[in-house]
Structures are given as C-alpha cells and as structure tokens.
Amino acid sequence: RNCRGNPNCLVGIGEHVWLGEIDENSFHNIDDPNCERRKKNAFVGLTNLGATCYVNTFLQMWFLNLELRQALYLCPSTCSEYVAGEGIPKDKDYEPQTICEHLQYLFALLQNSKRRYIDPSGFVKALGLDTGQQQDAQEFSKLFMSLLEDTLSKQKNPDVRNIVQKQFCGEYAYVTVCNQCGRESKLVSKFYELELNIQGHKQLTDCITEFLKEEKLEGDNRYFCETCQSKQNATRKIRLLSLPCTLNLQLMRFVFDRQTGHKKKLNTYIGFSELLDMEPFMEQKNGVYVYELSAVLIHRGVSAYSGHYIAHVKDPQTGEWYKFNDEDIEKMEGKKLQLGIEEDLAEPSKSQTRKPKCGKGTHCSRNAYMLVYRLQTREKSLTIEVPAFLQELVERDNCKFEEWCNEMAEMRKQSVARGKIKHEEVKELYKRLPAEAPYDFISLEWLQKWLDESTPPKPIDNTACLCSHGKLHPDKISIMKRISEYVADFFYRRYGGGPRLNRLKNQLNEDYKTVTNLLKITVKGNDGFWVGKASLRSWRQLALEQLNEQDEDTEHSNGKMNGNAQNKDESNEEKREEEEELNFNEDIVCPHGDLCISENERRVVSKEAWEKLKQYFPKAPEFPNNKECCSQCKILEREGEENEALHKMMASEQKTSLQNLFHDKCRPCLGSWPQETDELYIVSQFFVEEWRKFVRRPTRCSPVSSVGNSALLCPHGGLMFTYASMTKEDSKLIALIWPSEWERIQKLFVVDHVIKITRTQAAGADPESALYGSEPQLCPECREGLLCQQQRDLREYTQATIYIHKVVDNKKVMKDAAPELNVSSSEAEEEREENKPEGEQDPDFNQTNGGAKRQKISHQSYITYQKQGIRRSTRHRKVRGEKALLVSANQTLKELKIQIMHAFSVAPFDQNLSIDGKILSDDTATLGSLGVIPESVILLKADEPIADYAAMDDVMQVCMPEEGFKGTGLLGH
C-alpha cells in the first residue's frame, strides 16, 4: 500500500495493473460486433423503443402468420422510382409511405436481415404512437386490424384485399327468442376476436361456455316482440355461425374496478389445451373445427398500468416454439411450449393461488391475455419469398450492417493497439517516475487516475494545493507526489493543466526582476532591439503560459506579485485580453511580416534584456533598432492620407450641390404638394441617411456611389406604395426630391431606377380634385401581398416581448405605457447614430464604387429592407405596475395567464385581461389570433388576491382521463 504522508512513495498507486501481462480485452470497452449478428436458423428480434413491447409481440405473431405475410408481399409499392423501373437510388433512404409498406419492409427485414434485432421506429412513428407510454395491447390489436383491413380494401388483388377477413374474421349471431310466441329474431355480426370473461373460471372452455350462455330478459329488461306487439319475457344468446382460420381469444384480464375507479389486472390461473375442438360450441356441427395452439401472449406484472409484454409463438414451418422478448429470442426445447418464469409474479402476498397441475397437452397461466389458435390442417406450410424490390432494400441494410461490423472491429483493433502502446509507455514512465533533481510536485489523485485506464486523464489541476502566495502549501504535501522533471514534462505536454509546481517558476520571478531593472537603462547607439510595448507588459504572463500556467493562476500571479490587478480600469483589461492573443513581440509585426511603422507601439531595449527575453521566447521576431520600417506600409499610409483628402473634397462638393437633401425642412412633402411643380422624384430614405453619414464624416464612412431605388419596387418593376400610403405610414421609407435636385443626383450617382410622382390638375380647378400618378405605376398584386405579409409577421412570432400592466382601483394606464416608435428622420437621431463606434453603423448596408448591391425584392425581402433601412427605437418605457414577458404567437391565453400568475401572483381565474379595450376571455385561443403583437400592452385587473400562491400550481393540476390511442394513426381511418 501507499505511504500517503510520504511524497516520495510511489508504490500502491495503481501501478500493479500495468506491470504484469494484460488481457487485450481490457484495452477497449467495445463489444464484439459479431454478437449483434443473427445466428443461423434464428429469428430476428425487435428493439423496445421505451414502452413498445406490446407492439413487438403482435408484430412477431403477425410475421409468423404466413398467409398474412404473403398477402402483404403482394401489395404493389407506391415508390415512384421502383414503379418506373429505375430502382431506388443508393444515396436515398427508403421511406415507406403507407402502413402496408411499413409492414412489408419490417417483415422483409425480419425474414432476411443479418442483424440480431431490428429497429421498428419507422412503423411506430407512422402510427403516431408514444414510445414512452405503455398502451392496452388488446385495444392496439383491434385498432390495427381495423386499420389494416381498411387500407387493404383499396387493393385490386382479392387475395390481398380479403386477407384480414379470411384469416381473422368470423361470424356470430345475437339470437333473441320470445317466450310467449316463440318468435326468433337474429342479428348477424362479424368478429375478429372473442372477448372472454375469466372471472370465476379455471378453464378456457368454461369461459367460452359463459360467452355463449343463454341470458333471460325479464322485468324492466323485457324484449319487445314484433309478433306480440308488446314487451315479453325472452331469452338471448350468441350462436357461432362461422370461425376464421386464425382464432384470437382475448382473455379479459384487465377490468374496471368500480371501487378505485381504475383498471386492475386479474391474476387468476386459466387452463387451456394445445388442441381446441370448437364443434360443441357451433350452431352447425358438420364442419372441421379442431384448432391447435399457435401463440400465447403474456403480460408480466401485477398492475394494469405497467409490466412487460412477451410472446410465445410456434413456427408454422418447423412446429418449434419460440419466446419473443423484444431483442432476445429463445427457442424452446423439444418443440414444446414452456411458459416457465413468465408465471412468476413479484407479489408480496403469501396467499397466492397455487398453480394447478396440468396434464399432457394442457397449460395453465395467470399472465396470458391472448390465446391464438390456428385451424388444424394437413396442408404443407407455405414457402414465402421476399419480393425483389424488398430484398434489394434488405441487402442494402445488410451492407450497412456489415460496414458497421467492420468499423467496430477496426475500432477494437485500434483500441488494442493503443492499449499496448499505453502499456509499454506506462511501464517506461513508471520506471522514471522517482524524483531526481530537478523535480515537480503533482497531485496523487491525478496520478491514480492516469494509472486507471477506465477514466481518461483530465488536465492536471494543482490549484487545490496552493497557498495564498501561489506556491505549494506545506499542509498539502500528504496528497502530493514528487516526480522527476522528465516525466512531468511528458505529462504537461500530453495532458496540459497546471499550475506547474517546480523550480522554474522561482527562476522566472528572478528573471522578471532582472529584466525590469534592465528596462530602466537608456540604450545608446545601435546595440538595442525593438520590442512591442504590449509584449513587455505581458511577457511574464506569456512565459507562465508556456509553463502550462492556467489563466486563473496567471491572474492570481499578476494580482499578488504586481499589486492588485483588480484596481486596473476596464480598458486596460480589455487591452490585455487582446494582447494575449498574440505571441511575444508579434504586436510590432505588420501584415507584411516586417517591422510596423508606428513607433508609439514599440520601444528599444538593451542587448542584455533582449537575450534574457529570448531565453523564454526563442522564436520571437527579432528587430535590431537600426532596422528600417516596412516600405509597403509606408506607401499604404500615404495612399490612405490621399483618400481621406479626396473624400473630404467629395463630401464638401456633394453637400453644397444637394443642400435641400441635407436638410429635412427644405424637402417637399406629399401631404402639402408644392404649387411650383407638378412632378417630384423619389429615393429611399435609406440612401439619404447613408449619404448624410458620409457627408458629415467623410474620413470614417465610405462614399455612396449609387441610388438603389430597386428596393422600392416589386419583382415586376412596379411601385410598392400608393400615393395615400406615402403621405402616411410609408412616408418614413421614402425621400422626395425636387426636379432640379434630381438632375444633380443623376450626375453624382448611378441611378438604377427612376421613380417619379406626377400631379394632373385642370386649369382653375380645386387643388383637392388633382389626380396623382407614378412612374412606374403601382403593382396592386405585390402591394396586397406586402400588406398580407406585414400582417402575418405581426401574427407569427416567437420569444417576443409584451407588457402586462396591472390596473389598481380601475385607474387607467398612463400614456407612457404605450409602445414608443420613433422614426429616425430627425437631425438629433442621426447625430446619435453617428456617435456610435465605427463598424456599428448599419452593417447590413454596403455600397462601393463598383455600384450598389441590389437586393432581389420579394415580399419577404422588402420587409427585410424595411427593417434594415429604418432605424427606430423599439425601447418600451415601462411604468410602475408593469412587467415584460416573453411570449410566442402560438401560445394560448391560458399559458399566458400562468406566466402572469408567476409574475404578479394572481391566479388565472382571478385575471381579467384586455387589450385596446377588447376583453381577452378565450383561454384556448392563441395570442396571435387574439391580436396580441410584439410590444403590446395588456391590462390586468385582478379580482381577489389569493394568500397562498405557493400551492397555486397544485390547483391548476387536473386529473386527466386516460386518452388511450387518441391522436394516433390507429384512429385516423
């Protein structure tokens, strides 16, 4: 064992696992892929997707019904590629379109797959079943058979169309006999299974007898006789008219308990034989009615709401019995049905009913809920071939499986190879682990994890062992081990981490003091070297990182040794973070790899200081102080100065030429058409704002080279605005231009589309009778589509903010509670925009000298333009008693009320909500349908407060009834 108090003891830390011979299987945790391979002459299992064992049992039972499988294989495929004779492309996965196709594909895989088990998730998903909820197996059987029959009824082939009726459908009649006149009335009905009551019975035949027994109709339950024309005493019974090839007998184990109001399971034993003669129960005795047992479906568990379903099914071709338990399939010995442990129940009660003795050819079960009998016949069983189309799909899946097996085998092989290398590596490193000067301290816990192959080592973390000075705490020696520097170097290179506890750190502190003193000496002549000021500020930090010092230890070191780092201002911290991204002295390297031209970013250090720094940064760029700056950067600097001068001159000329465009008050307005002209021109307000930015700050903004009026037009080239809308809501998107000014704009900029508004007025007529037109003309279809899109956008949103204002004592909400919408056409708003840092000003707008980038306008892209081109304040000024909530358009009012309940502690039934004077009362309606849009303000008036809000969630919970298969594909037909 290890001496924990001795840092030099390296025995008993897990090394014994590596020093001897090791089994290759310990080098990997990958199971043999061949274990997933189907064994010879074995059946294929089905994956349990959570609680889908009840589905798996029926699928296996139906698969072994050869007539049903053959009929399904005859169903033609709806796959377009296969129908066209092209075959399914290899790069395209097969997706069945109907329930029949899902069942076809599943049966083909069960028949010829190389996998030990397959995944039925496609079939389950197509039915819309909840994989996490166990359902009533008997109900599933009925509903699926009904769905399958309905689906196959559309097939042209009668062998396919009628397969469900031939295999599972029988007939019985409800016969009522009048005791007075003897009149007999008969109601014939089809059945797919017989539902047998098992309560009070011990044998299957007794259950069938009770099912067919005569019932007396007396008293209030008397029968109205058509012959007697009055109510008479009568008898009623069921008569079996015909039986199907496959007789399904449902044992009603799950019954409703009136005392508890829930279902319960009857765990009574029922005896049944392998041969069942139904002739005594038939109305006509002249047929062959001997059936043999073919399947027993089992429910293990004492509760009706939980448990596990398995199936015992007989192979019709060999007569052998198999137990199907999801992925696992077990063959019974001696061609006999063996229920075995399926009859063991985890019941705490000692008063369990003993299992009755069963004779030869009979069985007893208290868990069987369905017995399936097949009509005894001497005909040979069918030989079923998978159709070529399905076989191609199966072979494709088999190829994928083989690829997976090969991949897993290769991964196992690689893991073994890596394990052998690790084995030799650990043995070698352990030999060199004992410490010799120089040495390192490392955590004992980390060393043990390194030697434990089951837990891959994480980066080394020694922070828990440090004292307040950033060094090894003496009291932590017991949990540390001293190892050689050679092994420590290997560990930190391979796994990283830190802080490294060795003598190099002390040497760095001494060198830091030496360099600090050398930097105080003034360098004379050409003996110095250029070093970046940022690199000098952080060189010790970079050196610590090279010793695998973590960021937090670096901050700790800076704070403790250089004074309190937290007293630095924010700008210095951000600057330091940027500096950390570069290696030492790379901060004075220009983009061309030469010395940068800015002398403010560098300084000269002595040769002695540079040599000391080079010990830590041998690959750092070296620039003697007589080195010339980058010639390319000098040229670019001159060109930049020339461009700035050119932009200033251009901005000055454009401002002088377009004075009216620069000032809003000098521009015309459609609301009061100027009398001196009958035509005005239009540009986008977005263009005006970008041009103003350039004119105001030509050195920081790119010049505008073109007028992008295509953003105001639809894809057909028509105008997107009416004259009325341009005077109101759309006025914020356009700017009106005088004709004289338009001529100058066409000379200064590239104009993609000319948009003109004209006024036509008869001489001496009233100005209000003037007619207005546009070139190009309005596109009514696109205009209508735009308006519809805008309305949809207001009704289709996710995670938008709305405001709930609680009204107290019927006081009206303040005016400030209304959403604020400011259009940025004012000078002040533009000035605020210009004060933003460069790069934040309208990043989506980019116009260069090569011409404006035009957007392809659709309804959606126009909305995008609208959002980009108009700066508006969406900030809502909240008032007292108001809270913001995040909601979605498809959220119901009831869900909103629950949010309000948590925010304001007002129960949903005490909330009176209104918006714009409209009462919101339909809890099932969505917020979008109720007219709640982003930034809406909803008024909340509470009726009576509730004292205990902590229990309010319990009040909201309602005991929901069982939904069964509601909402699944089983009820869709």
Side-chain angles (χ1 to χ4, degrees):
R1 67 185 183 189
N2 185 256
C3 304
R4 291 185 65 85
N6 183 358
N8 297 317
C9 179
L10 299 171
V11 178
I13 59 176
E15 76 285 352
H16 63 280
V17 178
W18 299 92
L19 299 182
E21 293 297 325
I22 296 183
D23 181 13
E24 287 188 357
N25 290 327
S26 65
F27 291 137
H28 62 79
N29 57 357
I30 304 173
D31 294 331
D32 185 358
N34 289 317
C35 293
E36 303 299 306
R37 192 181 296 278
R38 178 183 185 177
K39 294 180 181 179
K40 187 177 180 181
N41 297 326
F43 286 104
V44 177
L46 290 165
T47 305
N48 190 335
L49 305 175
T52 57
C53 51
Y54 69 97
V55 178
N56 292 346
T57 57
F58 281 104
L59 285 174
Q60 295 286 13
M61 185 184 73
W62 292 329
F63 171 72
L64 287 175
N65 187 311
L66 301 185
E67 292 81 4
L68 176 63
R69 195 198 318 174
Q70 185 179 49
L72 285 170
Y73 283 165
L74 294 175
C75 286
S77 172
T78 60
C79 178
S80 58
E81 291 88 349
Y82 177 70
V83 172
E86 301 171 1
I88 295 182
K90 292 184 178 181
D91 58 344
K92 181 181 177 182
D93 291 333
Y94 173 62
E95 296 181 359
Q97 300 300 312
T98 65
I99 290 298
C100 289
E101 289 184 6
H102 276 286
L103 211 52
Q104 270 185 339
Y105 185 43
L106 208 56
F107 281 2
L109 289 173
L110 287 173
Q111 184 168 339
N112 288 341
S113 177
K114 291 183 179 180
R115 301 178 188 267
R116 187 171 67 86
Y117 53 86
I118 60 175
D119 184 357
S121 56
F123 174 76
V124 173
K125 185 178 179 182
L127 291 177
L129 300 177
D130 183 353
T131 58
Q133 182 178 0
Q134 192 173 89
Q135 296 281 15
D136 187 296
Q138 295 171 342
E139 186 181 3
F140 169 74
S141 171
K142 293 179 191 176
L143 291 174
F144 184 78
M145 275 296 132
S146 177
L147 173 64
L148 185 63
E149 182 181 16
D150 181 68
T151 306
L152 294 177
S153 65
K154 304 175 181 64
Q155 297 292 327
K156 296 179 180 179
N157 188 338
D159 294 333
V160 178
R161 185 172 62 245
N162 301 322
I163 185 63
V164 174
Q165 291 91 328
K166 287 181 180 178
Q167 281 296 307
F168 306 104
C169 185
E171 280 189 351
Y172 54 51
Y174 288 97
V175 180
T176 306
V177 180
C178 176
N179 291 350
Q180 180 67 29
C181 66
R183 180 183 183 273
E184 181 178 289
S185 66
K186 183 185 296 185
L187 176 63
V188 178
S189 180
K190 293 182 179 181
F191 70 88
Y192 294 87
E193 64 276 312
L194 298 179
E195 297 181 350
L196 306 179
N197 174 39
I198 64 173
Q199 206 159 8
H201 300 296
K202 295 182 179 179
Q203 296 294 327
L204 175 65
T205 51
D206 296 337
C207 300
I208 300 174
T209 301
E210 188 202 17
F211 179 77
L212 300 174
K213 78 176 181 179
E214 191 175 86
E215 176 188 4
K216 292 183 178 180
L217 304 179
E218 298 174 342
D220 294 338
N221 199 27
R222 286 184 301 168
Y223 161 73
F224 183 84
C225 178
E226 293 289 339
T227 302
C228 301
Q229 288 295 306
S230 62
K231 285 191 174 184
Q232 300 291 339
N233 292 340
T235 59
R236 177 179 291 168
K237 64 183 298 185
I238 295 175
R239 292 178 186 172
L240 292 177
L241 304 180
S242 65
L243 296 177
C245 298
T246 302
L247 181 61
N248 294 326
L249 301 178
Q250 298 277 12
L251 305 183
M252 306 302 290
R253 288 203 176 272
F254 305 111
V255 296
F256 183 75
D257 189 344
R258 294 182 180 274
Q259 292 182 344
T260 62
H262 295 286
K263 284 192 300 184
K264 70 175 183 179
K265 180 182 177 184
L266 300 177
N267 294 304
T268 55
Y269 279 103
I270 293 295
F272 53 92
S273 61
E274 293 189 10
L275 289 178
L276 177 64
D277 186 3
M278 291 294 290
E279 186 177 7
F281 306 107
M282 299 298 296
E283 184 179 32
Q284 296 180 356
K285 313 290 186 181
N286 56 356
V288 179
Y289 300 110
V290 179
Y291 285 80
E292 57 183 2
L293 188 66
S294 65
V296 181
L297 274 58
I298 299 288
H299 173 268
R300 294 196 65 196
V302 295
S303 170
Y305 296 97
S306 61
H308 183 57
Y309 290 93
I310 60 176
H312 293 265
V313 188
K314 184 165 70 172
D315 182 358
Q317 293 177 317
T318 64
E320 296 173 323
W321 281 90
Y322 290 84
K323 182 173 76 172
F324 293 88
N325 185 6
D326 293 331
E327 295 93 341
D328 301 319
I329 299 174
E330 180 184 350
K331 180 181 178 181
M332 303 288 103
E333 295 181 1
K335 294 187 177 182
K336 294 180 180 179
L337 171 62
Q338 301 170 23
L339 297 179
I341 61 170
E342 280 68 55
E343 296 310 309
D344 297 336
L345 288 176
E347 291 183 2
S349 174
K350 295 181 180 179
S351 60
Q352 296 182 19
T353 307
R354 283 193 175 187
K355 181 178 180 180
K357 292 183 179 180
C358 299
K360 187 177 181 181
T362 61
H363 303 275
C364 290
S365 173
R366 59 177 168 185
N367 287 326
Y369 68 91
M370 184 172 177
L371 303 175
V372 181
Y373 284 87
R374 294 270 298 168
L375 190 62
Q376 198 174 43
T377 177
R378 295 181 181 179
E379 296 178 5
K380 291 185 178 180
S381 60
L382 297 171
T383 301
I384 311 296
E385 294 293 335
V386 177
F389 161 63
L390 291 171
Q391 184 59 32
E392 180 185 344
L393 295 173
V394 172
E395 289 173 359
R396 183 184 299 184
D397 183 73
N398 287 339
C399 288
K400 290 181 180 178
F401 175 69
E402 293 295 344
E403 290 174 1
W404 177 83
C405 288
N406 294 334
E407 185 180 343
M408 291 297 105
E410 183 61 27
M411 288 175 64
R412 278 168 59 98
K413 184 178 178 182
Q414 292 176 2
S415 296
V416 169
R418 286 195 300 268
K420 289 181 178 179
I421 295 172
K422 174 76 180 289
H423 185 209
E424 297 301 321
E425 181 183 276
V426 170
K427 286 203 300 185
E428 177 64 25
L429 287 173
Y430 185 77
K431 291 178 184 178
R432 305 187 68 166
L433 203 58
E436 300 175 1
Y439 56 82
D440 272 51
F441 281 98
I442 200 165
S443 164
L444 169 62
E445 181 184 9
W446 188 90
L447 267 180
Q448 290 172 329
K449 288 183 178 179
W450 172 67
L451 289 166
D452 183 4
E453 182 62 18
S454 63
T455 55
K458 296 180 180 179
I460 301 167
D461 185 7
N462 292 325
T463 53
C465 308
L466 299 179
C467 67
S468 58
H469 309 99
K471 299 181 181 179
L472 179 61
H473 198 293
D475 294 342
K476 303 293 184 180
I477 288 292
S478 60
I479 60 172
M480 304 295 288
K481 292 298 176 184
R482 189 167 63 166
I483 63 175
S484 65
E485 185 185 44
Y486 172 84
V487 178
D489 288 342
F490 176 86
F491 284 162
Y492 284 104
R493 278 197 311 271
R494 173 71 64 85
Y495 306 109
R500 189 164 179 177
L501 302 175
N502 60 6
R503 299 182 64 185
L504 291 176
K505 186 175 178 183
N506 294 331
Q507 183 65 43
L508 175 61
N509 292 335
E510 295 172 7
D511 289 343
Y512 177 74
K513 295 176 183 177
T514 302
V515 171
T516 302
N517 291 328
L518 289 173
L519 292 177
K520 297 176 181 177
I521 302 173
T522 304
V523 180
K524 298 179 180 178
N526 294 327
D527 293 336
F529 291 86
W530 289 110
V531 180
K533 291 180 180 180
S535 293
L536 286 176
R537 284 195 298 270
S538 60
W539 78 268
R540 186 180 65 166
Q541 179 180 329
L542 293 171
L544 284 171
E545 288 176 355
Q546 289 192 359
L547 297 174
N548 293 317
E549 195 72 37
Q550 289 183 331
D551 290 341
E552 60 187 61
D553 186 70
T554 302
E555 294 170 6
H556 173 84
S557 175
N558 287 341
K560 296 298 179 182
M561 298 182 185
N562 292 341
N564 190 356
Q566 294 180 350
N567 293 333
K568 304 280 185 180
D569 58 68
E570 277 186 299
S571 61
N572 286 339
E573 289 181 0
E574 292 174 0
K575 191 172 183 180
R576 190 160 60 246
E577 288 174 1
E578 293 176 359
E579 292 165 2
E580 289 175 358
E581 296 177 0
L582 297 172
N583 293 323
F584 182 77
N585 219 31
E586 288 184 355
D587 51 325
I588 61 171
V589 178
C590 75
H592 311 102
D594 215 334
L595 183 64
C596 69
I597 60 177
S598 175
E599 293 190 12
N600 293 330
E601 298 177 2
R602 49 191 166 94
R603 62 165 289 186
V604 177
V605 302
S606 64
K607 183 178 180 181
E608 293 80 6
W610 177 250
E611 289 176 350
K612 185 67 70 175
L613 293 170
K614 284 283 283 186
Q615 292 177 7
Y616 291 92
F617 311 106
K619 296 182 180 180
E622 185 174 302
F623 300 110
N625 64 341
N626 58 358
K627 171 76 174 177
E628 290 291 333
C629 298
C630 177
S631 57
Q632 296 182 59
C633 288
K634 289 180 180 180
I635 295 172
L636 291 175
E637 185 180 32
R638 286 195 298 269
E639 291 178 352
E641 292 173 353
E642 292 174 359
N643 284 337
E644 285 186 5
L646 181 61
H647 286 180
K648 287 180 180 180
M649 183 177 67
M650 185 187 303
S652 177
E653 290 177 354
Q654 290 183 5
K655 183 177 180 181
T656 304
S657 179
L658 302 173
Q659 282 291 334
N660 293 335
L661 189 62
F662 190 75
H663 300 287
D664 281 337
K665 58 186 178 181
C666 299
R667 283 163 43 193
C669 176
L670 286 180
S672 55
W673 187 283
Q675 295 300 320
E676 56 267 29
T677 181
D678 286 330
E679 61 181 26
L680 294 173
Y681 293 84
I682 290 179
V683 296
S684 70
Q685 181 67 25
F686 194 33
F687 159 76
V688 174
E689 291 172 359
E690 290 302 311
W691 175 76
R692 285 176 178 172
K693 287 182 195 175
F694 168 69
V695 169
R696 288 194 178 95
R697 310 187 73 175
T699 60
R700 298 191 62 178
C701 300
S702 300
V704 180
S705 60
S706 62
V707 177
N709 272 350
S710 59
L712 304 178
L713 304 178
C714 73
H716 315 106
L719 189 60
M720 293 290 288
F721 315 109
T722 64
Y723 177 80
S725 71
M726 286 189 288
T727 63
K728 296 177 183 177
E729 66 270 13
D730 291 328
S731 61
K732 56 185 175 288
L733 302 177
I734 63 169
L736 295 173
I737 307 297
W738 296 101
S740 58
E741 198 169 29
W742 178 252
E743 294 178 2
R744 294 192 290 274
I745 286 177
Q746 287 184 305
K747 293 178 181 178
L748 293 171
F749 306 101
V750 176
V751 180
D752 57 354
H753 294 281
V754 177
I755 303 177
K756 182 168 63 173
I757 303 295
T758 59
R759 179 181 65 174
T760 306
Q761 183 178 0
D766 187 359
E768 295 183 0
S769 64
L771 300 176
Y772 299 94
S774 65
E775 296 179 11
Q777 293 182 348
L778 173 73
C779 181
E781 293 83 3
C782 293
R783 172 66 182 176
E784 184 178 355
L786 172 62
L787 295 176
C788 292
Q789 181 65 42
Q790 290 172 336
Q791 291 300 316
R792 277 197 298 271
D793 289 345
L794 289 176
R795 298 290 183 266
E796 299 173 4
Y797 53 86
T798 55
Q799 294 298 297
T801 302
I802 66 169
Y803 300 92
I804 309 300
H805 183 85
K806 188 175 181 182
V807 180
V808 182
D809 297 332
N810 291 327
K811 291 181 180 178
K812 291 186 177 179
V813 67
M814 295 169 57
K815 187 177 180 180
D816 287 343
E820 175 189 356
L821 187 65
N822 292 335
V823 179
S824 59
S825 60
S826 66
E827 299 281 344
E829 180 71 19
E830 289 167 359
E831 290 296 336
R832 287 197 296 273
E833 179 71 23
E834 289 175 5
N835 289 332
K836 288 184 180 180
E838 190 171 0
E840 293 184 13
Q841 302 177 16
D842 298 291
D844 294 327
F845 185 81
N846 182 16
Q847 288 182 320
T848 61
N849 292 329
K853 292 184 178 179
R854 296 194 306 167
Q855 295 178 328
K856 293 181 180 179
I857 295 296
S858 64
H859 296 156
Q860 185 60 40
S861 62
Y862 176 75
I863 299 299
T864 305
Y865 161 77
Q866 202 176 18
K867 292 175 181 175
Q868 293 173 350
I870 300 300
R871 298 188 305 272
R872 59 181 62 178
S873 170
T874 57
R875 185 174 62 255
H876 174 83
R877 294 198 298 256
K878 289 202 296 183
V879 298
R880 189 174 181 181
E882 188 172 281
K883 292 185 180 180
L885 298 180
L886 286 178
V887 297
S888 301
N890 58 358
Q891 185 176 325
T892 63
L893 183 62
K894 181 178 180 180
E895 292 169 337
L896 173 63
K897 285 185 175 182
I898 293 174
Q899 284 183 265
I900 295 174
M901 177 184 73
H902 293 296
F904 287 92
S905 297
V906 178
F909 42 79
D910 287 331
Q911 297 174 20
N912 295 308
L913 305 179
S914 63
I915 180 172
D916 298 330
K918 174 186 173 184
I919 302 298
L920 305 181
S921 57
D922 187 356
D923 286 346
T924 61
T926 62
L927 299 187
S929 65
L930 292 173
V932 179
I933 63 176
E935 299 294 316
S936 292
V937 177
I938 295 179
L939 300 186
L940 163 66
K941 185 178 183 301
D943 283 346
E944 294 179 2
I946 292 180
D948 184 12
Y949 298 110
M952 203 173 296
D953 285 331
D954 297 330
V955 176
M956 295 297 295
Q957 292 179 1
V958 180
C959 184
M960 300 300 292
E962 293 181 44
E963 294 191 353
F965 292 96
K966 181 181 178 181
T968 69
L970 290 169
L971 299 177
H973 65 291

